[in-house]
Amino acid sequence: MTSNKLPSVEGWDDVQLGPDERLDDLLLRGRKIIQNTKEFCFSIDAVLLAHYPDYHKNWRVFDLGTGTGVMPLLIADGVKEIHALEINPVMADLAKRNVELNQLADKIFVQAGDYRQIRELYPPESFDCVIANPPYRPVNQGMLSSLDGVAKARHELTATLNDVVQAARYLLRFRGKFAMVHLPERLGEIVVALHANQMEIKRLQLVQPKADKPSNLMLLEAVVGGVPGGMKAEIPLIVHNDDGSYTDEVLKIYNGAN
């Protein structure tokens, strides 16, 4: 996301940051994002997922577990509107501030809440696309972070894989699309959960840290009401060159919206 030609959003010089907050430049149309260093800060998986679906200008998109709202900020120009839900009240407040400071309150709508209670918060089948960067690991796998917000973002402390899939299905219209980033090792569970909720994977892309390293992430897109089979296995995405720099493919994703 490199674009020095575009004007910066007015008013950033006056932003008041808390003691644990920092201001990061998204390098996209002058947009910036406030993050809390004691909470979960977004990484490349959110950027890759944000750019994975082929959005339509008239789409209503939903971000399940938005964090500080990075994905809505990245995709706002390509869709009609975005609704975002975040269970962590600190992160939800940051996401709302980020929307307002980037002057996108007419397009991005953030709410604090738990998507396990999605039926109480939003009408059914009212969105065209749902995106989710959910906790990757069950509670019994890996070390939990000492920071509560980070632990909840990485491990299924507040929501399981089934919870996120069920919430996505509830929100999506027939033929709507669900895009998610997750661990390749959980693909079998994901296929089962999607199928149980009337969704089938139609696109899948493995993500490798380097060309000689095994995949540690995957991007997938499922369709509500899709028939089993017909999945497109895309060429794996290599993140880094041997010298540690981003590959041309990843740079294109970062720069694609500019």
Side-chain angles (χ1 to χ4, degrees):
M1 292 170 290
T2 56
S3 177
N4 296 324
K5 299 179 180 179
L6 295 168
S8 296
V9 174
E10 295 181 1
W12 284 112
D13 292 339
D14 299 326
V15 173
Q16 298 296 314
L17 298 177
D20 300 312
E21 294 179 350
R22 74 182 193 220
L23 185 64
D24 294 331
D25 194 342
L26 290 176
L27 298 174
L28 170 67
R29 290 169 171 79
R31 288 173 196 161
K32 293 180 173 64
I33 186 168
I34 300 171
Q35 300 200 84
N36 188 312
T37 57
K38 289 189 175 180
E39 300 290 340
F40 183 78
C41 296
F42 79 88
S43 57
I44 191 173
D45 47 1
V47 178
L48 298 181
L49 174 61
H51 293 287
Y52 191 60
D54 182 16
Y55 301 103
H56 293 259
K57 280 286 188 180
N58 63 339
W59 271 7
R60 301 180 74 237
V61 178
F62 200 102
D63 181 9
L64 283 170
T66 194
T68 52
V70 61
M71 290 197 289
L73 295 178
L74 292 175
I75 69 173
D77 299 309
V79 299
K80 181 179 180 180
E81 65 182 57
I82 308 159
H83 290 252
L85 191 65
E86 174 54 45
I87 191 172
N88 183 330
V90 174
M91 301 285 270
D93 179 67
L94 282 177
K96 292 176 183 179
R97 288 167 61 195
N98 285 325
V99 169
E100 293 170 359
L101 290 168
N102 283 283
Q103 302 175 4
L104 289 168
D106 61 335
K107 180 167 281 194
I108 302 173
F109 308 92
V110 178
Q111 181 171 335
D114 187 340
Y115 57 67
R116 291 173 297 181
Q117 278 82 53
I118 196 73
R119 295 173 183 273
E120 303 169 16
L121 301 172
Y122 297 91
E125 301 188 359
S126 52
F127 289 86
D128 304 287
C129 179
V130 171
I131 55 178
N133 181 7
Y136 290 153
R137 298 187 182 281
V139 176
N140 61 352
Q141 290 185 10
M143 293 182 61
L144 290 177
S145 171
S146 60
L147 298 177
D148 182 63
V150 176
K152 289 178 179 177
R154 291 177 176 169
H155 285 80
E156 295 177 341
L157 293 171
T158 58
T160 65
L161 173 61
N162 283 327
D163 290 330
V164 70
V165 172
Q166 289 171 7
R169 174 62 189 97
Y170 173 81
L171 291 167
L172 284 168
R173 62 170 173 79
F174 181 70
R175 307 304 294 177
K177 296 184 176 181
F178 174 44
M180 180 168 64
V181 59
H182 220 292
L183 302 178
E185 64 201 57
R186 301 195 69 184
L187 178 57
E189 299 172 71
I190 292 170
V191 170
V192 172
L194 289 170
H195 183 76
N197 287 276
Q198 303 171 309
M199 292 186 282
E200 301 292 338
I201 298 179
K202 294 301 174 182
R203 294 174 60 208
L204 176 69
Q205 185 175 37
L206 295 175
V207 181
Q208 298 174 217
K210 289 187 177 182
D212 60 346
K213 300 294 183 181
S215 301
N216 61 350
L217 288 175
M218 65 179 178
L219 300 162
L220 64 88
E221 185 178 86
V223 176
V224 175
V227 297
M231 183 192 78
K232 179 181 179 182
E234 300 174 337
I235 296 172
L237 177 65
I238 313 300
V239 176
H240 294 108
N241 296 308
D242 290 340
D243 63 2
S245 62
Y246 282 138
T247 61
D248 290 343
E249 289 77 11
V250 169
L251 289 175
K252 287 177 183 177
I253 292 171
Y254 271 93
N255 297 331
N258 296 323

